[in-house]
């Protein structure tokens, strides 16, 4: 079935077939598709293209309908194939055969989502988590011992951090690693059921070892969570003594990965198996660390693992792009219902509602691609050591925490809308949309639950906000308080103190034509972030003086707003990255079309939060009333460019593989059209009952 | 695994365990859970309870991880078991062993979603589509010939309406049934690939016959779409001559059903196989029908099949209720992060954001249950013949078209939020949320694509609106025009002409405390529907005078707004049904809590559309600013009732079957709590590094 979908159809190409004009091609500017592809692929375009070329091999494709065991076996085989083809060493030290190219590593990894998300995530488990823990948390002795075998997949491993009882709150995990100076061993132990390690890829079947996070206890002191290398299975795949586990069984997706549970009954490992870059225990049991603060040490260790979030931001974006490629290509060929104008049935994408469903999501995916490029550059800067400062690290973590939730949620939303826009055909596994949704579902809660990540971003925004006033004198604080009071007043009155913003909007008639300019969009989006943070900060200010329980209640009451402020921050970042990306485009026609697409994003975001802008006096009622109309106009204008814009993702038939996006639908339309035309000209077509004289 | 999940845990019950106070139980009114269950189960509560009792048998449960072939075989076996246990005859005529109870039939059918949605939908294909086509579109000769075997499942069949090329636009299907007076046969034929029947349950494997929809052609005239009984397979399961097909393969869900494609190469069937209730062909080929208008005849035939939509509204509601039962039960036991108050970690449902995620959706599901009860009563009235008028039929179809989209979309939204709220555990198939999402996904596009259905509702609203002015004199029209002009003015100015609405809102301080009263919610919701319809009508008015292509373009530009107006109509209907349902509750405490829940629904809907209310002058900025705060307060107040409210769905462990909602999480929490308490009292607990004196 997939073969048929991929084969270039022997039927007419879209451009020649069914010579019925639709609004598919306009007369205005067209984008330069290859140049846009270059822009979207970004700094590591070469690696992305290598990765895409590799996965044109059907051996890497997700196959539907395999049993759980078959899927797991297939993905393991794919992983070996990937290792043989340079897919596992890009981030690794040159000493062990690696390329030491962190940005390229994630770029290449992200593209695997097009082949099979199970392959992507299982390779992420092996090299991005298990291997990266050894690399980033271990030292040379660990690298020498294991990295080569990790890269070659001689040593498949699990990353044992999450427990059944604790996911996001890693600091509270229950597994203990107690040092025994008698034998110079750590004793890894699971004290209760909630402390079982859970949801771990490679744990149910293939993992021969694991990097286990546990509370390090030595000399009667708990030094907090550290990571240990723990062998799991012997050569026959049997658990070693003291180790047990369970299979997590069928999941909502990613069933090519053998997720499972692990527990440890006083399992002894050598002292040297502590990955000791940030904390070590000497033979006598004394603890040392280059980072004195337990809190900072913990977050430094966890911060090494940010690449998971970075790469999911990219993978989710490319997955959503694939869904739009399929749905928009189909919508450009599929016809349904005639419009009474005597022409053939209408192409789906000519319906206003269909445009509204797909085109704003296309704008969103473009913004994500540009934002991800910035994130990846920042990541590469920090991890290559070029810009490895604590400020840059903190920015990187905040940026990843802001972007990963938005892109992974948007992926699910976009894939689902794409699937619905393809109707029953969209529900068939062969057309890939349902499988993409199943597999990417968990992206929103793993590697940091999206709401928890946004809350982290919100807290960072609050702390940055507070810093403005740190060390300020009384006069400055008084000025701040006055502004705040003014803010409160206009909140109630619906009129903003910054009169000029409302003043420059002009008549609503003109604004429908011109929409909101880029700088106006930027101001509205940025202003909203600032005001929301200031509002939450003001409401949380009493918390410091309250008893802990009341303080917690106050926080809880403001939690949803804080998360919403963080989301607004992420939206602004994506909008700005899109805008900056367009500025780098040389071709004026391309720039013009992409600017419309950016405007569609901006206006869609403003429409989504329109009540906030009205309540907070940022938009007049007149102006607000025009936003939706302008979105409709932008959709209609961009409709002619929709195919170019998805073509610019650069996917080849071997990446798309959905029969409905292969040209088959167009061939069917042409065949039906020709059949009716031939029947008509044969003179043998039945007449419609409706044309008969009415019976009495 | 499921067994363990269902077994009553030997661990403490929620009420006794971990004696840590949360806000789970308040001191105010409590609902009378059994009485609320009665209200939710509605008129056909007895049948629902019978159906629920039957599916406590594990033979009916969805099993995870089966191969496609195994799933299909299992569901076929379940279907036989259902037929043996009275699950197939409720709607059928007494003459053939039926009960002639249409309402009970759908009520019992809907509950099957709890066992396995594949079982539900496959039984719907057999008895609600294939069987119902014979019953509703056929006459006594057809009933005598096939109904007994349909009921007993001796004769499994497919419902062959949709084609690859035409889904929602049934009138345009390509399959032909040409009458041959020589042999007194119809020739069923598929003229091109797009006219293959597609997505048909029972077509890939089990169907022995099909009710095939085709263009009826006799004497050179096409009388439009009619339904024909066509044998498909012999006793050995082989296709009969001239019939071919394909398997649709793996789908996004419902993989217990063998969906497939069918095509016909000049297949001859006896003249009598035309299901001839609404149109017949005599031996000589002359056509007769009790309904002269081809259009009305077509819609009458299709209208017989409304029960699919009615039942999906109910099934989606009970499926969403199950998801909330699982997620809220878990959120009431699961703890994560301490709040710094020295108490144990916080129960998820005590987080403001978690309340915001789950409780408005609980309100929505309650509203759906009450609205569905009204829909089911209307359906039963029409189909029993008690209230079978053309007005009632039209109302029934509009109501079903308004409610089914909302409840099926809400089901996906709610199930997804529930799955995310359960984190990694929610992604495991054993906890059922992912399977529910997979299976219910297609509910939003089958039995009428949701957007197409809402567009139908929108057109009905437009036509009802136009009727107000039909036959009115010039003075009335002038008055109408004046009101319209006034409407336009206030749209721009942001001030409504009905000053009293804004006038009675009082101070925002008071409104935060009191929210919006029920009558205010109703007025806001109802007013929005009216105004949106009037707005679209005004914008479409020029269409009648435009050339067809321009008229179509004008409609397309307003399509999204028309669909939005229909959605607003459905939301109002659900809100009103909830309100009426509460009025029937006798117990004042129950009524009070349910009224809070209804308020939460109303305020959530108003918040969702807040920018509309502001732009259209229905709410002052002051008032609008309080809506979100009031939702937060309502959530906090309802939090104590959340468990009661999901318990009132009346599900037993055999219906829930999710280990995370079985008490296992609470047992784990208790075990961990006891472990740490014992360690602490033993005096051997390690001290935290943080308590040590800071090293220099």
């Amino acid at each position: 079935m997939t073969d048929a979908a991929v084969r270039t159809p022997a039927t007419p190409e879209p451009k020649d077939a069914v010579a019925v004009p639709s609004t598919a091609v306009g007369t205005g500017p067209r984008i330069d598709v290859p140049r846009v592809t270059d822009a979207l692929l970004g700094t590591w375009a070469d690696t992305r293209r290598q990765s895409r070329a590799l996965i044109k091999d059907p051996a890497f494709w997700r196959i539907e309908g395999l049993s759980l065991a078959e899927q797991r076996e297939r993905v393991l085989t794919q992983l070996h194939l990937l290792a043989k083809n340079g897919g596992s060493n890009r981030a690794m030290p040159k000493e062990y055969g690696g390329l030491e190219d962190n940005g390229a590593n994630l770029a290449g990894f992200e593209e695997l989502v097009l082949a099979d998300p199970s392959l992507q995530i299982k390779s992420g488990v092996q090299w991005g988590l298990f291997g990266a823990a050894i690399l980033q948390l271990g030292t040379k002795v660990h690298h020498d011992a294991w990295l080569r075998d990790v890269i070659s997949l001689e040593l498949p491993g699990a990353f044992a951090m999450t427990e059944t009882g604790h996911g996001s709150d890693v600091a509270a995990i229950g597994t203990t690693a107690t040092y025994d100076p008698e034998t110079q061993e750590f004793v890894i132990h699971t004290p209760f059921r909630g402390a079982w390690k859970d949801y771990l890829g490679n744990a149910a079947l293939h993992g021969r070892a694991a990097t286990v996070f546990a509370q390090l206890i030595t000399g009667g002191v708990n030094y907090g969570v550290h990571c240990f290398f723990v062998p799991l299975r012997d050569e026959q795949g049997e658990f070693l003594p003291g180790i047990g586990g369970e299979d997590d069984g069928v999941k909502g997706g990613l069933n090519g990965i053998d997720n499972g549970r692990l527990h440890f009954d006083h399992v002894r490992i050598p002292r040297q198996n502590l990955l000791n870059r940030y904390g070590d225990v000497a033979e006598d049991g004394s603890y040392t660390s280059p980072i004195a603060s337990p809190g900072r040490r913990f977050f430094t260790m966890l911060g090494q693992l940010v690449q998971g979030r970075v790469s999911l931001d990219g993978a989710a974006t490319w997955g959503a792009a694939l869904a739009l490629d399929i749905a928009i290509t189909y919508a450009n060929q599929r016809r349904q219902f005639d419009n009474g104008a005597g022409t053939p049935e209408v192409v789906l994408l000519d319906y206003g509602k269909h445009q509204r469903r797909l085109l704003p999501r296309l704008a969103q995916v473009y913004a994500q691609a540009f934002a991800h490029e910035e994130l990846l550059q920042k990541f590469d800067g920090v991890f290559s050591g070029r810009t490895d400062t604590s400020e840059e690290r903190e920015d990187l973590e905040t940026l990843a925490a802001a972007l990963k939730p938005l892109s992974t949620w948007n992926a699910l939303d976009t894939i689902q809308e794409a699937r619905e826009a393809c109707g029953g055909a969209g529900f068939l596994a062969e057309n890939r949309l349902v499988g993409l949704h199943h597999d990417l579902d968990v992206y929103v809660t793993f590697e940091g639950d999206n709401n928890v990540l946004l809350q982290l971003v919100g807290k960072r925004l609050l702390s940055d906000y507070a810093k403005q006033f740190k060390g300020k004198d009384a006069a400055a604080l008084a000025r701040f308080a006055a502004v705040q009071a003014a803010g409160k007043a206009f909140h109630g009155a619906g009129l903003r103190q910054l009169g000029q913003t409302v003043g420059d909007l002009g008549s609503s008639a003109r604004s429908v034509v011109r929409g909101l300019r880029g700088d106006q969009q930027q101001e509205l989006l940025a202003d909203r972030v600032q005001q929301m943070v200031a509002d939450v900060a003001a409401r949380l200010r009493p918390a410091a003086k309250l008893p802990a329980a009341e303080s917690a209640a106050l926080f809880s009451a403001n939690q949803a707003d804080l998360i919403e402020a963080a989301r607004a921050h992420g939206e602004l970042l994506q909008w700005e990255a899109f805008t900056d990306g367009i500025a780098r485009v040389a071709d004026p026609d391309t720039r013009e079309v992409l600017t419309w697409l950016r405007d569609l994003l901006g206006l869609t975001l403003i429409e989504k939060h329109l009540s906030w802008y009205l309540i907070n006096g940022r938009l007049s009622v007149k102006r607000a009333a025009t936003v939706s109309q302008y979105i409709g106009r932008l959709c209609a204008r961009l409709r002619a460019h929709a195919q170019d814009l998805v073509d610019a993702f650069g996917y080849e038939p071997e990446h798309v593989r959905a029969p409905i996006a292969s040209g088959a639908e167009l061939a069917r339309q042409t065949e039906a059209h020709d059949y009716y035309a031939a029947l008509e000209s044969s003179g043998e077509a039945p007449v419609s009952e409706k044309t008969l004289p009415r019976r009495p």
Side-chain angles (χ1 to χ4, degrees), chain A:
Chain A
M1 184 61 78
T2 36
D3 268 348
V6 165
R7 210 168 43 226
T8 305
T11 49
E13 286 298 306
K15 290 169 193 78
D16 319 320
V18 193
V20 176
S22 82
T23 57
V25 178
T27 53
R30 297 285 295 273
I31 65 165
D32 180 341
V33 173
R35 292 292 76 74
V36 175
T37 305
D38 290 343
L40 291 169
L41 294 182
T43 307
W44 291 274
D46 288 348
T47 308
R48 292 192 189 276
R49 289 197 169 97
Q50 274 169 29
S51 195
R52 288 189 184 185
L54 179 65
I55 59 175
K56 287 169 83 167
D57 179 350
F60 288 106
W61 299 350
R62 180 184 153 127
I63 293 183
E64 300 296 339
L66 297 183
S67 72
L68 190 63
E70 288 165 342
Q71 287 180 70
R72 289 168 166 189
E73 195 53 38
R74 178 175 171 83
V75 171
L76 179 64
T77 306
Q78 291 173 341
L79 218 58
H80 280 290
L81 207 54
L82 191 64
K84 283 199 188 73
N85 284 278
S88 64
N89 65 339
R90 293 194 186 101
M92 294 293 179
K94 290 182 178 161
E95 194 176 348
Y96 309 101
L99 304 179
E100 294 185 11
D101 188 342
N102 285 283
N105 180 51
L106 293 198
F109 168 74
E110 291 163 9
E111 300 291 331
L112 300 178
V113 76
L114 302 169
D116 184 340
S118 282
L119 165 63
Q120 196 217 354
I121 299 303
K122 185 153 172 135
S123 75
V125 167
Q126 172 67 15
W127 297 302
L129 291 172
F130 172 66
I134 296 171
L135 174 64
Q136 303 286 351
L137 304 180
T139 49
K140 189 158 192 314
V141 57
H142 309 116
H143 301 170
D144 286 347
W146 301 308
L147 276 190
R148 280 180 199 282
D149 287 350
V150 168
I151 296 170
S152 70
L153 201 55
E154 277 295 294
L155 177 65
F159 180 78
M161 185 158 79
T162 297
E163 298 178 351
T164 305
H166 285 95
S168 294
D169 188 5
V170 176
I173 57 172
T175 304
T176 51
T178 309
Y179 184 64
D180 178 358
E182 297 288 312
T183 62
Q184 299 189 16
E185 289 172 320
F186 283 102
V187 182
I188 309 291
H189 186 62
T190 307
F192 44 81
R193 174 62 186 82
W196 282 26
K197 297 296 177 181
D198 207 344
Y199 316 115
L200 320 175
N202 274 343
L205 288 177
H206 302 140
R208 294 236 337 275
T211 46
V212 176
F213 289 77
Q215 307 284 350
L216 190 162
I217 298 163
T218 179
V221 177
N222 182 343
Y223 287 92
V225 174
H226 288 66
C227 187
F228 301 82
F229 182 95
V230 182
L232 293 180
R233 288 184 170 89
D234 61 22
E235 294 290 333
Q236 284 71 48
E238 299 297 321
F239 276 133
L240 297 170
I243 292 173
E246 258 181 14
D247 197 317
D248 274 325
V250 181
K251 304 185 301 295
L254 297 182
N255 278 308
I257 308 171
D258 57 322
N259 292 75
R261 304 175 178 124
L262 294 174
H263 50 86
F264 306 92
D265 181 8
H266 299 94
V267 172
R268 290 180 166 263
I269 55 169
R271 181 180 66 92
Q272 294 84 352
N273 280 20
L274 166 63
L275 299 175
N276 61 346
R277 179 170 170 194
Y278 296 108
D280 203 4
V281 172
E283 292 183 7
D284 68 355
S286 60
Y287 180 85
T288 53
S289 168
I291 305 176
S293 154
R296 201 159 64 79
R297 186 193 313 137
F298 174 71
F299 286 111
T300 302
M301 283 197 255
L302 258 58
Q304 293 302 328
L305 305 164
V306 71
Q307 67 178 340
R309 291 170 193 170
V310 175
S311 65
L312 293 185
D313 179 56
T317 298
W318 291 111
L322 176 60
L324 286 170
D325 188 335
I326 293 169
I328 287 178
T329 301
Y330 182 66
N332 247 334
Q333 300 181 8
R334 172 78 170 179
R335 293 169 182 277
Q336 204 75 176
F337 289 104
D338 67 48
N339 64 9
T343 52
E345 294 161 289
V346 179
V347 173
L348 293 188
L349 203 54
D350 283 338
Y351 286 106
K353 177 69 181 175
H354 218 77
Q355 294 167 9
R356 265 283 199 162
R357 293 168 72 181
L358 297 177
L359 299 185
R361 291 176 167 90
L362 182 58
Q364 172 66 37
V365 167
Y366 262 70
Q368 285 174 205
F370 286 110
H372 178 67
E373 164 69 11
E374 292 188 4
L375 174 60
L376 203 50
Q377 286 181 7
K378 188 171 281 285
F379 165 77
D380 188 68
V382 170
F383 275 66
S384 69
R386 280 198 316 280
T387 56
D388 188 5
T389 66
S390 62
E391 290 74 27
E392 279 290 307
R393 280 196 174 259
E394 202 181 347
D395 282 354
L396 168 63
E397 283 166 30
T398 306
L399 191 57
L403 295 181
K404 180 263 185 184
L406 270 62
S407 54
T408 54
W409 269 326
N410 282 327
L412 293 189
D413 167 71
T414 296
I415 295 165
Q416 182 67 25
E417 194 68 45
R419 126 66 200 130
E420 294 179 25
C422 294
F427 192 59
L428 300 188
E430 64 179 27
N431 289 320
R432 303 200 55 201
L433 298 166
V434 288
L436 270 178
H437 196 283
H438 297 180
D439 287 337
L440 269 59
D441 183 358
V442 78
Y443 288 32
V444 303
T445 51
F446 73 2
E447 295 291 313
D449 176 88
N450 280 1
N451 280 301
V452 175
L453 290 180
L454 285 184
Q455 186 171 303
L456 285 176
V457 174
K459 287 183 172 175
R460 167 78 189 270
L461 292 172
L462 282 179
S463 98
D464 283 0
Y465 178 78
K467 271 184 205 153
Q468 294 178 55
F469 312 112
K470 213 167 179 176
K472 288 273 166 65
D473 60 18
L477 284 173
R479 272 199 304 280
F480 164 71
V483 171
Q484 280 299 104
K488 276 189 212 306
F490 82 72
H491 275 244
L495 281 171
R496 196 184 177 207
Q497 75 273 35
L498 302 177
Q500 69 277 14
T501 305
V502 174
D504 75 358
L505 295 178
S507 75
S508 64
R510 206 179 93 229
S511 69
V512 172
V513 178
R514 299 187 39 204
L516 289 157
R517 292 190 318 270
D519 58 335
Q520 294 173 322
Q521 296 167 36
Q522 203 273 346
E523 188 189 342
L524 287 168
L525 295 172
D527 209 22
R528 180 161 177 264
V529 180
Q530 288 168 15
Q531 187 63 51
M532 290 178 86
V533 172
D535 285 350
V536 174
R539 276 184 264 130
L540 289 181
R541 197 158 316 129
K545 291 170 205 148
L546 292 174
E550 283 171 53
S551 169
L554 183 64
F555 179 80
S556 183
N558 285 283
Q559 186 188 24
D561 285 344
L562 181 63
I563 287 172
E564 192 52 31
R567 190 195 307 268
H569 174 67
E571 290 169 349
L572 171 66
L573 293 175
Q574 291 179 333
W575 184 96
E576 290 182 335
F578 194 175
T579 303
D580 291 348
I582 294 171
R584 293 190 297 270
V585 170
D587 175 52
D589 279 8
T590 301
R591 216 161 49 213
E592 184 167 7
V593 176
L594 290 184
T595 301
W596 296 338
L597 194 65
R598 194 282 321 268
D599 286 348
L600 180 57
L601 174 71
L603 278 280
T604 303
L605 290 172
I606 289 163
E607 184 190 47
K608 186 170 134 194
H609 308 303
L610 203 55
S611 64
W612 189 93
Y613 290 110
L614 286 162
I615 289 173
N616 290 276
R618 261 61 167 188
L619 279 179
S620 68
V621 165
K622 265 190 192 176
R623 186 70 159 195
T626 67
V627 169
S628 296
Q629 295 168 52
Y630 196 67
I631 289 174
R633 284 166 179 249
L634 275 173
C635 282
R637 193 190 295 162
L638 282 161
R639 183 259 172 275
H641 304 277
Q643 193 67 51
D644 286 347
L645 289 164
V646 293
D647 288 350
F649 292 133
Y651 294 142
E652 298 181 65
E654 293 85 351
H655 304 126
V656 180
R657 306 196 300 275
I660 46 166
S662 67
E665 176 63 23
L666 190 65
R668 284 192 294 265
Q669 302 278 351
T670 308
E671 185 198 3
H673 178 267
D674 293 350
Y675 167 81
Y676 285 120
L679 188 65
E680 200 57 47
S681 61
S682 74
E684 286 170 17
V687 300
S688 165
E689 179 191 12
K690 295 176 189 176
T691 66
L692 300 181
R694 269 302 267 283
R695 283 169 297 171

